[in-house]
Amino acid sequence: MTRLGDLERAVMDVLWDLVPATSPGVTVREVADALDGRELAYTTVMTVLDRLAGKGMVQREREGRAWRYRAAASREAHIAKLMLDALDLGGSRDAALVRFARSVTGTEAEVLRAALSAEAGLATPEAGLTDRVEDPRAGRPALADEATDR
C-alpha cells in the first residue's frame, strides 16, 4: 500500500490540483513555489519528487537539465487503490464491504448503486453513467467520467 507522508501528500496535491493530465508536467521549482506557506529547500522538494517517482506515484521526463513531473494517476485512482489495499489487510473482505456500505450517506449510496449498475450494464440514462469507453490500463470498460480524469 502506497501511503504518503505529510510532505509527500502536499506535493501530490500540487500535482493533482495544478497539473492537467495532458500537461508535460512541472519542474521542482514550480512545485516548491506552489507549496504555499512552507519554507522548503529546493533539494528537499527534489528528494520528495524523486522518492514519489520511485514509488510509482509520479512520472518524470527529462527536459534539458531539469525534470518535469506529473502524477502517474488521478487522485481518485489513488484513493480507490488505497481502499482496495485496505480490503486486503485481512479478515473478511465481504464483512468490510458491508460495514463500509452501511457507513456511507444516502447520496454516496446512490453513487455506488449507479456505478455498480453501470458496471453490470444495467444503468439507466438518468444515472448519467451509461457512456462506456475502454480503459487501456486496466483492460476493462471504464465509465466515461473515469476516462476523462486521465
Side-chain angles (χ1 to χ4, degrees), residues 8-112:
E8 289 175 324
R9 176 59 190 248
V11 168
M12 287 305 301
D13 283 340
V14 167
L15 297 178
W16 282 321
D17 294 338
L18 300 179
V19 183
T22 57
S23 166
V26 291
T27 63
V28 174
R29 174 62 53 212
E30 291 168 322
V31 173
D33 290 346
L35 290 167
D36 293 332
R38 293 184 181 244
E39 297 295 324
L40 298 171
Y42 176 93
T43 54
T44 300
V45 177
M46 184 173 58
T47 299
V48 171
L49 284 163
D50 186 54
R51 287 184 180 165
L52 288 168
K55 291 180 179 183
M57 293 290 300
V58 300
Q59 295 173 339
R60 65 182 179 182
E61 190 172 310
R62 191 71 127 160
E63 184 178 273
R65 291 179 32 185
W67 290 98
R68 288 203 161 271
Y69 296 86
R70 61 187 166 90
S74 70
R75 177 185 278 124
E76 293 77 12
H78 174 68
I79 292 168
K81 175 80 170 102
L82 288 174
M83 293 169 71
L84 290 170
D85 288 348
L87 285 173
D88 290 335
L89 290 176
S92 168
R93 268 181 91 110
D94 292 348
L97 281 170
V98 168
R99 186 146 185 123
F100 174 76
R102 288 182 178 153
S103 69
V104 299
T105 65
T107 304
E108 292 165 339
E110 287 302 317
V111 169
L112 287 172

Side-chain angles (χ1 to χ4, degrees), residues 120-139:
L122 305 173
T124 61
E126 305 86 58
L129 297 171
T130 57
D131 295 329
R132 299 168 76 82
V133 294
E134 191 63 29
D135 181 344
R137 290 182 298 154

